[in-house]
């Protein structure tokens, strides 16, 4: 051995001694001065190294692959574990039976068993000891569960007598006699049961975060008592791959949301295979959440491992755990005890010696932490006591735990929805269900008697916690809609040019100042307030910040400074459309979740609404959220210069797909005022479960005063804005939004060719379509007494042709064309947006005044009502080409 090798050997020996001394010193510090002082010292040493330029490895964001809470920090379990296990087994059985029965009649309605089986213990610990319902002294918890775990929640509610046997037997068969149950958490389908939907993968996380944040918002503004309430959100580890999950977790720490507990069910499996076969999803998520500042609690191993760890003086067991990947752990789940032992030991005699105290059967059934009540209770307890930060519990489970060899831990577990008679009997006996073999083979439900220990225990614990959850109870007061005079400026009109966006901002300010309504208004904007001219609201009403404003803004001396406040009213969400939409959902459901009738107005680039967060909008529909989505800078041609990704010509088409959304495209300020006032009345006074989508434009033009008698037409979707002289050729021009200005110009052009135009303002093609379809359906059911729809009534006695022009796709006016007695020509903006000026865009898409007038003349010519020489003259004077590129394919 050369000198260098000797030196290295000596160094290693000395390092070992020195390491032991450091550990001994640290242990002394922990023992004598406590854990907080120990953490303080380590942070001091770390900061010292960083100041010297010594970088630390990524592993500092990870703790060892073991439970965060050691056994000596666990408090005693307060419940009857044996009785709780019996209750859990009954619920597990009934949850499985529901899915099996749903598929036995050949309907093929599907269903999932494995997810709930993996999450059952954690949910039961929560139901017995932590999930609290609203009471006079407590704000109430919001419970959001994995969508695929819904059968287990239904099965528990069945034992609680909240759901009937008929409903449970009709799982996924909602139209059956006696009623049924929806597949997943859908408040719209079970409005007294589910609090929020979770079926859209990834969206429950931002929804939970912003619900917790809105709870704080209400408390800081004095609209809700500061009397507790937590949001408990259960998601799957595979679901964490959705960008909305990790993309929004920083908000929770920035807002100090200690009322939020995320529980990630790490059963290591996606729908088709392992989540991270070559890595560790728990360690990966720990890095993400710790890096974002969350309080992270890992629940990896059950109590059976505690004794092994206590004897592992050299860290061999920990080193092996850290080395094994999730693919290995999934393999252990489906292997026998001998195979697990050999793979785990991996030729290390020291590990073999350590594991000798367990026989193969014991090794096979060692529980993961997510199936151990004591470990879970300790995690929930620490989460409930956390202050200043949100908490995430990463619990390790087995997908399909308890379902037997054909499903437990298998890649096919998620799709397993059928079992043989033998498998059913084996599972029933494993769960201790007191049914006959024949009953178990038929997957019959089991419900213990009301005077049984199980039933009494279940009811007693829920009574102690305030009542049954999940539960959606609307206890909110109703508001009285304001008089239309609140929007006096919009009703009276002005010759001074302004956009509908500016008119809306003034209306919003009027509502915010209103003594009765003002405190309930929630303006929401994703970092575009100045784009929409809303900066005047900053100083008057403040931007909500849980920490207030700790700095002097650079524009403090200006008339419109940036002002943050703890009781601020405006939610400025930064560049995060998903977050802003989650805020809208939280505010729009506050009437049900917090008993406060909040009225959100979420203002955004119209194309960034439905196109970017359409799934969140659908979730709002499911949640029966109320409020106004406001698409600013709307229109394919009105927003000049911005181009393809910003110019919206299709959001109203997409809006038509949301059944409980009322969508409007107003041209004038008074139309907007009538719609907003009516919306408040319908949603907050009459308690209709609808919400609104309004489009606003950035084009300035004079706003006329409201004509008499048009309110009903505005709300129904169409009214006659201007009637022409009856002499000459008759044309009906339909305009919407900012293109109404082009329609008005086109009417003047047509006068020069001997044509008189009636001008109709179409505020909502979608409302016209729905009403027409409703009448058509009724006429189909009762053909003996047919009725006319609103369009037919309005146009029955009119002559001439109709030209309908919209800054949206032609399919919008075309959708109602067949109900007009007259021929209809639809003009719209099909195709991609372009970076161009407003006049050139309208020329390109053929929706300017020239093309509107030309379309009317061409239509009259085809009808034989216009001479050819007049048509030729018009082509020359209006500069209409005979050949031109189609905007759709440009």
């Amino acid at each position: 051995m050369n000198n260098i090798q000797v030196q290295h050997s000596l160094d290693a020996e000395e390092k070992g001694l020195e390491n032991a001394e450091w550990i001994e010193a640290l242990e002394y510090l922990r023992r004598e001065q406590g854990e907080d002082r120990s953490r303080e010292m380590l942070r001091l040493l770390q900061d010292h190294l960083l100041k010297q330029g010594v970088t630390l490895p990524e592993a500092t964001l990870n703790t060892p692959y073991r439970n965060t809470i050691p056994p000596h920090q666990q408090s005693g379990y307060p419940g009857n574990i044996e009785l709780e296990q019996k209750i859990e087994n009954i619920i597990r059985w009934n949850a499985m039976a529901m899915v099996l029965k749903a598929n036995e009649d050949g309907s093929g309605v599907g269903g999932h068993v494995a997810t709930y089986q993996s999450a059952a213990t954690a949910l039961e610990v929560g139901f017995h000891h932590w999930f609290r319902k609203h009471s006079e002294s407590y704000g109430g918890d919001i419970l959001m569960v994995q969508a695929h775990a819904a059968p287990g929640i239904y099965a528990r509610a069945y034992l609680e007598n909240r759901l009937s046997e008929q409903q449970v037997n009709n799982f996924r068969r909602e139209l059956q006699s006696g009623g049924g149950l929806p597949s997943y958490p859908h408040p719209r389908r079970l409005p007294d049961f589910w609090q929020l939907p979770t079926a859209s993968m990834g969206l429950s996380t931002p929804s939970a975060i912003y619900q917790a944040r809105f709870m704080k918002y209400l408390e800081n503004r004095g609209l809700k008592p500061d009397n507790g309430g937590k949001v408990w959100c259960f998601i799957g580890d595979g679901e964490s791959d959705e960008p909305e999950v990790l993309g929004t977790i920083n908000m929770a720490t920035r807002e100090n949301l200690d009322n939020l507990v995320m529980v990630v069910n790490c059963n290591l499996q996606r729908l088709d295979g392992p989540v991270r076969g070559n890595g560790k999803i728990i360690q990966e998520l720990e890095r993400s959440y710790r890096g974002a500042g969350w309080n992270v609690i890992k629940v990896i191993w059950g109590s059976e491992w505690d004794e092994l760890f206590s004897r592992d003086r050299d860290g061999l067991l920990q080193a092996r755990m850290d080395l094994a990947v999730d693919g290995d752990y999934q393999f252990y789940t489906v292997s026998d005890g001998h195979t697990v032992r050999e793979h785990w030991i991996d030729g290390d005699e020291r590990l073999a010696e350590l594991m000798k105290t367990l026989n193969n059967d014991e090794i096979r059934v060692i529980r993961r932490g997510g199936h151990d009540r004591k470990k879970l209770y300790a995690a929930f307890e620490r989460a409930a006591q956390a202050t200043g930060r949100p908490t995430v519990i990463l619990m390790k489970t087995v997908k399909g735990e308890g379902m037997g060899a054909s499903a437990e831990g298998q890649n096919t577990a998620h799709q397993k929805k059928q079992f043989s008679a033998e498998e059913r009997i084996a599972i029933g006996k494993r769960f201790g269900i007191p049914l006959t073999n024949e009953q178990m083979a038929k997957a019959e439900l089991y419900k213990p008697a009301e005077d049984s220990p199980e039933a009494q225990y279940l009811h007693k614990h829920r009574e102690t916690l305030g009542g049954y959850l999940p539960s959606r109870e609307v206890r909110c007061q109703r508001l009285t809609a304001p008089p239309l005079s609140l929007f006096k400026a919009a009703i009276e009109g002005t010759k001074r040019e302004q956009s509908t966006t500016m008119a809306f901002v003034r209306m919003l300010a009027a509502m915010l100042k209103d003594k009765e309504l003002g405190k309930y208004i929630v303006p929401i904007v994703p970092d575009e307030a100045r784009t929409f001219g809303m900066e005047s609201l900053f100083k008057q009403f403040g931007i909500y910040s849980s920490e207030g404003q700790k700095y002097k803004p650079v524009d403090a001396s200006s008339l419109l400074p940036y002002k943050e406040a703890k009781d601020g009213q405006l939610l400025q969400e930064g560049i995060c459309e998903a977050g802003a939409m989650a805020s809208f959902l939280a505010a729009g459901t506050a009437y049900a979740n917090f008993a406060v009738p909040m009225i959100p107005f979420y203002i955004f680039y119209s194309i960034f609404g439905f196109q970017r967060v359409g799934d969140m909008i659908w979730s709002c529909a499911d949640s029966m959220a109320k409020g106004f989505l406001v698409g600013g800078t709307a229109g394919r041609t009105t927003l000049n210069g911005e181009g393809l990704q910003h110019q919206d010509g299709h959001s109203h088409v997409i809006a038509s797909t949301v059944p409980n959304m009322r969508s409007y495209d107003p041209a004038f300020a008074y139309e907007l005022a009538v719609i907003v006032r009516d919306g408040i009345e319908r949603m907050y006074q009459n308690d209709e479960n609808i919400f609104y989508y309004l489009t606003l434009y950035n084009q300035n033009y004079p706003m006329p005063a409201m004509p008499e008698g048009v309110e009903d037409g505005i709300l129904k979707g169409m009214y006659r804005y201007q009637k022409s002289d009856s002499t000459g050729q008759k044309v009906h021009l339909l305009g919407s939004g900012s293109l109404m200005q082009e329609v008005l110009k086109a009417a003047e052009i047509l006068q020069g060719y001997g044509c008189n135009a009636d001008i109709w303002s179409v505020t909502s093609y979608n409302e016209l379509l729905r009403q027409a379809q409703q009448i058509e359906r009724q006429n189909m059911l009762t053909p003996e007494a047919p009725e006319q729809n609103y369009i037919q009534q309005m146009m029955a006695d009119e002559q001439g042709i109709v030209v309908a022009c919209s800054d949206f796709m032609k399919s919008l006016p075309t959708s109602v064309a067949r109900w007009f007695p007259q021929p209809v020509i639809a003009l719209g903006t099909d195709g991609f947006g372009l970076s161009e000026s407003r006049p050139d865009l309208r020329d390109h898409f053929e929706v300017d005044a020239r093309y509107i007038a030309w379309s009317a003349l061409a239509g009259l010519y085809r009808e034989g009502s216009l001479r050819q020489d007049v048509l030729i003259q018009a082509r020359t004077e209006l500069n209409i080409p005979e050949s031109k590129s189609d905007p759709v394919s440009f």
Side-chain angles (χ1 to χ4, degrees):
M1 184 180 295
N2 59 37
N3 291 334
I4 295 177
Q5 288 176 316
V6 171
Q7 184 64 46
H8 282 180
S9 178
L10 291 173
D11 286 348
E13 185 177 345
E14 290 173 356
K15 284 179 182 177
L17 293 172
E18 188 174 319
N19 289 347
E21 291 174 358
W22 275 101
I23 291 174
E24 183 180 352
L26 184 61
E27 180 59 22
Y28 174 82
L29 184 67
R30 183 195 68 80
R31 190 170 57 249
E32 297 299 322
Q33 298 187 34
E35 294 182 0
D36 288 343
R37 177 59 176 155
S38 303
R39 280 191 288 266
E40 182 183 351
M41 182 57 67
L42 284 177
R43 177 65 66 184
L44 181 67
L45 294 172
Q46 177 178 292
D47 290 345
H48 176 75
L49 285 176
L50 290 172
K51 288 177 182 177
Q52 305 307 313
V54 180
T55 58
L56 300 174
E58 183 189 39
T60 56
L61 289 176
N62 271 130
T63 60
Y65 192 64
R66 62 194 297 177
N67 294 342
T68 301
I69 304 173
H72 71 271
Q73 292 184 3
Q74 292 177 202
S75 57
Y77 194 77
N80 184 325
I81 291 180
E82 182 180 355
L83 201 51
E84 287 185 20
Q85 186 64 59
K86 288 182 179 180
I87 295 170
E88 179 184 319
N89 288 348
I90 294 169
I91 296 172
R92 282 172 175 261
W93 169 262
N94 286 340
M96 182 187 73
M98 287 171 58
V99 177
L100 296 178
K101 292 177 76 67
N103 286 277
E104 283 189 335
D105 61 359
S107 62
V109 295
H112 302 282
V113 179
T115 295
Y116 175 71
Q117 300 298 333
S118 65
T121 306
L123 287 167
E124 282 304 294
V125 169
F127 278 121
H128 285 306
H129 304 289
W130 294 108
F131 305 152
R132 296 177 61 188
K133 192 178 180 183
H134 170 270
S135 66
E136 291 297 323
S137 59
Y138 186 71
D141 291 348
I142 293 176
L143 178 61
M144 304 172 68
V145 301
Q146 287 175 267
H148 293 136
I153 309 302
Y154 290 143
R156 171 171 254 273
Y158 169 61
L159 295 191
E160 296 167 336
N161 300 319
R162 300 172 62 208
L163 295 176
S164 69
E165 184 172 350
Q166 188 72 31
Q167 286 177 292
V168 174
N169 280 329
N170 284 335
F171 174 59
R172 291 196 170 203
R173 302 293 304 278
E174 296 181 71
L175 297 179
Q176 299 307 297
S177 176
L181 297 174
S183 55
Y184 303 129
H186 295 302
R188 174 160 287 278
R189 303 310 312 155
L190 280 179
D192 298 326
F193 192 85
W194 294 116
Q195 292 167 293
L196 289 164
T198 59
S200 293
M201 288 296 183
L203 296 189
S204 57
T205 298
S207 177
I209 290 171
Y210 283 82
Q211 287 285 347
R213 190 267 200 119
F214 199 73
M215 191 187 299
K216 298 277 191 180
Y217 169 90
L218 292 174
E219 290 170 356
N220 287 332
R221 290 195 54 216
L223 296 173
K224 173 190 175 297
D226 186 2
N227 61 349
K230 284 189 179 292
V231 178
W232 299 85
C233 181
F234 288 72
I235 68 170
D237 49 357
E239 188 178 351
S240 297
D241 283 344
E242 291 283 5
E244 294 89 351
V245 175
L246 298 183
T248 53
I249 61 175
N250 284 300
M251 160 63 80
T253 46
R254 194 163 63 242
E255 296 288 326
N256 305 312
L257 299 182
D258 51 14
N259 58 343
L260 172 64
V261 181
M262 295 287 301
V263 183
V264 185
N265 180 11
C266 298
N267 57 35
L268 312 186
Q269 291 181 233
R270 293 192 182 116
L271 308 188
D272 294 326
V275 177
R276 294 290 185 274
N278 296 315
K280 283 187 174 70
I281 186 60
I282 287 179
Q283 298 300 86
E284 180 182 320
L285 291 175
E286 181 186 33
R287 288 194 298 272
S288 296
Y289 280 97
R290 278 172 62 90
W294 285 56
N295 176 36
V296 179
I297 303 172
K298 295 191 294 190
V299 185
I300 296 177
W301 296 115
S303 300
E304 296 85 354
W305 287 88
D306 291 342
E307 192 271 335
L308 286 176
F309 271 117
S310 69
R311 293 190 290 107
D312 183 23
R313 306 298 183 188
D314 299 323
L316 299 174
L317 193 59
Q318 186 64 64
R320 186 67 181 93
M321 285 183 173
D322 291 338
L323 182 64
V325 296
D326 283 354
D328 293 327
Y329 289 117
Q330 189 181 355
F331 172 72
Y332 300 150
T333 300
V334 301
S335 302
D336 59 61
H338 174 73
T339 303
V340 173
R341 181 191 297 274
E342 293 304 312
H343 193 280
W344 181 258
I345 291 171
D346 195 26
D348 191 323
E349 292 300 325
R350 295 171 301 172
L351 269 178
E353 183 66 26
L354 188 65
M355 301 290 289
K356 275 186 177 180
T357 56
L358 299 176
N359 63 38
N360 288 343
D361 289 338
E362 289 171 329
I363 288 177
R364 174 67 182 83
V365 298
I366 285 180
R367 290 176 298 175
R368 294 180 180 177
H371 302 298
D372 188 315
R373 277 180 171 71
K374 295 178 181 178
K375 302 297 183 185
L376 288 165
Y377 183 86
F380 281 32
E381 182 178 46
R382 182 168 292 188
Q385 294 171 352
T387 56
R389 290 193 296 170
T391 296
V392 61
I393 298 172
L394 306 175
M395 64 171 189
K396 189 175 182 179
T397 65
V398 175
K399 191 157 189 176
E401 199 269 342
M403 291 169 61
S406 68
E408 192 173 276
Q410 299 285 345
N411 282 337
T412 57
H414 187 76
Q415 308 302 332
K416 185 74 172 178
K417 53 182 65 71
Q418 283 293 2
F419 291 91
S420 67
E422 292 76 16
E423 287 175 322
R424 298 179 186 193
I425 293 169
I427 294 171
K429 289 183 176 179
R430 188 180 307 122
F431 288 158
I433 306 301
L435 295 175
T436 66
N437 286 359
E438 183 180 2
Q439 289 173 315
M440 286 189 281
K442 293 180 180 179
E444 292 188 9
L445 298 171
Y446 171 69
K447 188 174 185 179
E450 283 300 299
D451 60 353
S452 67
E454 293 89 348
Q456 291 180 350
Y457 187 91
L458 182 146
H459 291 301
K460 177 183 176 182
H461 279 73
R462 287 316 310 163
E463 289 171 7
T464 301
L465 293 169
Y468 302 102
L469 283 177
S471 176
R472 184 179 179 275
E473 297 179 355
V474 179
R475 313 178 308 277
C476 184
Q477 65 168 322
R478 297 193 183 187
L479 299 177
T480 300
L484 200 54
S485 59
L486 180 64
F487 310 123
K488 181 180 178 182
I491 300 302
E492 293 181 350
T494 174
K495 293 183 179 179
R496 182 179 179 182
E497 292 189 347
Q498 63 174 287
S499 65
T500 49
T501 298
M502 185 51 61
F504 166 76
V505 172
R506 291 175 177 172
M507 289 170 53
L508 184 61
M511 287 186 284
L512 285 164
K513 294 174 184 176
D514 186 76
K515 291 182 179 179
E516 301 298 326
L517 205 65
K519 63 182 178 181
Y520 299 116
I521 303 296
V522 187
I524 305 170
V525 61
D527 201 36
E528 290 161 348
R530 297 185 192 278
T531 301
F532 304 128
M534 296 173 61
E535 62 267 36
S536 62
L537 303 181
F538 293 168
K539 184 177 181 179
Q540 288 178 285
F541 305 101
I543 299 166
Y544 173 72
S545 169
S546 60
E547 298 180 308
Q549 191 165 48
K550 299 178 179 179
Y551 63 94
K552 183 178 181 181
V554 295
D555 55 2
S557 60
S558 69
L559 292 174
L560 303 173
Y562 196 82
K563 178 189 173 185
E564 297 185 75
K566 195 168 184 177
D567 61 349
Q569 196 159 352
L570 190 148
L571 293 176
Q572 226 289 20
E573 303 297 13
I575 305 174
C576 183
E577 276 81 11
M581 197 67 226
S583 274
F584 177 84
L585 174 58
T589 55
Y591 74 96
N593 292 327
F594 306 116
V596 188
M598 305 307 290
I599 309 175
F601 287 86
Y602 170 30
I603 306 95
F604 52 90
Y605 265 71
S606 59
I607 201 169
F608 294 162
F610 289 86
Q611 182 160 305
R612 208 152 180 193
V613 288
D615 204 13
M616 285 287 287
I617 292 174
W618 192 255
S619 187
C620 289
D622 189 350
S623 303
M624 292 172 286
K626 300 179 181 182
F628 297 88
L629 296 173
V630 184
T633 58
R636 190 90 76 195
T637 68
T638 306
L639 182 60
N640 56 336
E642 287 288 83
L644 187 149
Q645 289 286 66
H646 286 68
Q647 291 165 341
D648 169 33
H650 50 277
S651 65
H652 273 289
V653 178
I654 305 174
S656 69
T657 65
V658 184
N660 61 328
M661 173 178 282
R662 310 274 80 88
S663 56
Y664 288 91
D665 187 28
F668 303 122
Y670 68 79
E671 294 176 346
L672 186 60
V674 169
I675 295 164
V676 169
R677 190 260 166 212
D678 181 71
I680 294 173
E681 180 178 44
R682 293 182 65 179
M683 292 184 288
Y684 296 93
Q685 183 173 317
N686 300 338
D687 197 30
E688 293 185 48
N689 290 320
I690 57 176
F691 64 126
Y692 281 69
Y693 174 58
L694 314 175
T695 39
L696 306 178
Y697 298 85
N698 67 336
Q699 180 177 344
N700 295 323
Y701 47 84
M703 291 293 164
M706 184 171 73
E708 291 186 8
V710 299
E711 292 97 322
D712 187 57
I714 290 171
L715 299 174
K716 287 183 176 179
M718 185 178 80
Y719 67 96
R720 192 183 336 238
Y721 173 71
Q722 183 175 298
K723 186 174 178 61
S724 65
D725 191 335
S726 59
T727 60
Q729 296 293 340
K730 189 66 174 288
V731 175
H732 299 274
L733 302 182
L734 277 56
S736 303
S738 61
L739 285 195
M740 176 60 81
Q741 299 304 303
E742 301 297 323
V743 167
L744 293 169
K745 295 175 188 175
E748 296 177 1
I749 293 173
L750 287 170
Q751 287 181 349
Y753 298 98
C755 300
N756 289 309
D758 280 10
I759 298 175
W760 299 76
S761 179
V762 180
T763 54
S764 179
Y765 283 106
N766 288 333
E767 287 299 293
L768 293 175
L769 174 63
R770 285 175 177 164
Q771 195 269 345
Q773 289 175 333
Q774 288 168 0
I775 295 298
E776 188 172 64
R777 173 185 173 275
Q778 187 58 45
N779 289 342
M780 179 271 292
L781 295 174
T782 56
E784 304 87 354
E787 298 180 25
Q788 285 190 322
N789 62 45
Y790 179 69
I791 295 173
Q792 292 167 335
Q793 293 172 16
M794 295 292 289
M795 303 299 293
D797 299 326
E798 302 296 333
Q799 302 299 317
I801 64 169
V802 174
V803 178
C805 183
S806 168
D807 212 1
F808 289 84
M809 295 173 66
K810 294 175 185 176
S811 60
L812 208 57
T814 301
S815 67
V816 298
R818 67 188 180 93
W819 287 291
F820 280 82
Q822 304 80 16
V824 175
I825 301 168
L827 302 181
T829 55
D830 295 60
F832 290 111
L834 298 167
S835 298
E836 253 301 347
S837 67
R838 192 174 287 152
D840 285 341
L841 283 170
R842 288 175 175 169
D843 172 72
H844 170 75
F845 284 103
E846 300 157 10
V847 291
D848 63 6
R850 297 162 40 248
Y851 275 101
I852 297 171
W854 171 257
S855 296
L857 295 172
L860 290 172
Y861 173 74
R862 287 193 297 270
E863 294 290 311
S865 302
L866 188 75
R867 300 195 316 269
Q868 187 175 16
D869 62 313
V870 176
L871 186 70
I872 294 172
Q873 176 190 352
R875 180 187 293 279
T876 301
E877 293 176 349
L878 297 177
N879 193 24
I880 303 296
E882 293 188 8
S883 178
K884 180 176 174 290
S885 297
D886 188 341
V888 174
S889 57
F890 182 81

